[in-house]
Amino acid sequence: MEKVQAVIDFLLTHKLLFTVLIIMIISLIRRLILSMIRGDDAFVSEDQRSWMSRTKNGSFITLVLLLFVLWQSEINEFALSVTAIAVAIVVASKEIILCFTGSIQRASSRSFRIGDWIEVGKICGEVIEHNMMATVIQEIDLYHGQYHYTGKTATLPNSMFFTYPVKNLNFMKRYVYHDFAIIVPKFVNLYPLVPLMLEKIDEHINYFSEVAKRYNAMIEKHAGVDLPGSEPHIHITSGGTGEQVVHFMLFCPTDKATHLEQEIRADFMALYEQHFPEKKAEE
């Protein structure tokens, strides 16, 4: 018992050594727990990411509390010594304070959680981790209608939540309103093709149409707004130089959007060539 007390007294006397020891022990425990959570899985699930994030945040908070208790007397003396320059410290640490308050704002508003798809400014992605200072997302390409991961990881300081609106795109993980257009340079009457194209589209979406209808109704109920609906939409407009633009909108599974677009484009081109062979020859 005397030896244990002697070791404790030695560590309390040499606080810097004790601090290094605490950091090493907590780091080892954290690494062990993270490896146990991940296991041998090639891909990390949302539940695993949540527990990994909790482990990282918990270990960080524990480390800060232990170091605060250990260095409390020195911190008190330091706080008294910097009273005169407190304003300067606040100004210098403005970004850190904004990150902390941004984290509090996120937690209180419950704007997103791990696994959600979000858009902050021009950055879109799936949240894989968040802590008191930053939020980490796997970037997703939403601006080119691809809906796939780019392989890039973006770390967003939580202060961005005060500068940019946070858009929760979580429902887009399963189904999405996919918009695309086909430009027809010649002026022809395309309206007879609309019902034929709707029939073609119905053939492509028949296997998931009922599920899409139920999911669309669920989103409407959750959001409290009247959405366009799960049925396909086609409308035709004119461009600035006289060309016609055929717009398509589908409510479809996110991972099938690009494939469906290619099939619909092929159907439209086949119907256009069939109905306007002379136009095709002129072009």
Side-chain angles (χ1 to χ4, degrees), residues 40-275:
D40 298 326
D41 298 334
F43 300 99
V44 182
S45 66
E46 289 186 17
D47 288 337
Q48 287 175 310
R49 285 176 178 168
S50 296
W51 280 109
M52 290 171 72
S53 179
R54 292 182 189 126
T55 300
K56 292 177 181 179
N57 292 335
S59 61
F60 176 75
I61 294 172
T62 302
L63 178 62
V64 170
L65 290 176
L66 288 175
L67 294 182
F68 178 80
V69 172
L70 179 62
W71 295 90
Q72 184 176 5
S73 58
E74 287 78 1
I75 292 174
N76 289 335
E77 293 177 3
F78 176 75
L80 292 174
S81 65
V82 299
T83 302
I85 57 172
V87 175
I89 293 176
V90 170
V91 172
S93 59
K94 175 184 175 183
E95 192 67 24
I96 296 176
I97 295 172
L98 286 175
C99 287
F100 274 105
T101 52
S103 177
I104 295 172
Q105 186 269 343
R106 176 200 60 77
S108 60
S109 64
R110 298 179 180 179
S111 53
F112 61 86
R113 60 183 180 85
I114 290 178
D116 286 355
W117 285 15
I118 64 170
E119 179 181 353
V120 183
K122 293 185 177 181
I123 302 176
C124 308
E126 179 177 340
V127 180
I128 60 174
E129 183 182 344
H130 57 69
N131 52 48
M132 296 296 291
M133 297 297 296
T135 298
V136 183
I137 65 173
Q138 285 284 356
E139 190 179 50
I140 298 172
D141 183 10
L142 296 184
Y143 291 108
H144 301 95
Q146 300 297 319
Y147 314 107
H148 60 68
Y149 294 99
T150 64
K152 301 176 183 177
T153 301
T155 302
L156 311 178
N158 291 336
S159 58
M160 290 183 66
F161 301 152
F162 292 108
T163 308
Y164 301 98
V166 179
K167 300 178 183 179
N168 192 311
L169 313 175
N170 198 38
F171 82 92
M172 293 178 64
K173 289 181 69 174
R174 288 191 58 197
Y175 277 79
V176 65
Y177 281 107
H178 183 60
D179 297 280
F180 63 95
I182 299 176
I183 298 176
V184 179
K186 298 296 182 178
F187 184 81
V188 291
N189 184 11
L190 297 175
Y191 283 95
L193 299 183
V194 172
L196 299 176
M197 282 303 305
L198 289 174
E199 291 179 6
K200 292 286 187 180
I201 295 173
D202 286 338
E203 294 176 5
H204 294 307
I205 69 174
N206 182 58
Y207 69 97
F208 65 79
S209 59
E210 290 300 321
V211 178
K213 188 180 298 183
R214 291 196 299 270
Y215 193 70
N216 185 269
M218 183 191 71
I219 296 172
E220 284 186 333
K221 184 177 180 180
H222 178 75
V225 295
D226 184 19
L227 297 176
S230 61
E231 65 277 1
H233 297 271
I234 301 176
H235 68 278
I236 302 172
T237 60
S238 298
T241 56
E243 73 276 9
Q244 296 187 89
V245 184
V246 186
H247 301 270
F248 297 85
M249 186 177 73
L250 307 173
F251 187 71
C252 61
T254 305
D255 57 350
K256 300 290 191 301
T258 304
H259 177 69
L260 287 171
E261 177 182 339
Q262 295 304 311
E263 290 184 330
I264 293 169
R265 284 181 180 273
D267 289 339
F268 180 85
M269 291 177 183
L271 285 174
Y272 180 83
E273 187 174 9
Q274 177 183 346
H275 284 74

Side-chain angles (χ1 to χ4, degrees), residues 2-14:
E2 292 179 358
K3 293 182 178 180
V4 174
Q5 186 63 41
V7 171
I8 294 175
D9 292 339
F10 175 79
L11 292 175
L12 291 176
T13 304
H14 300 81

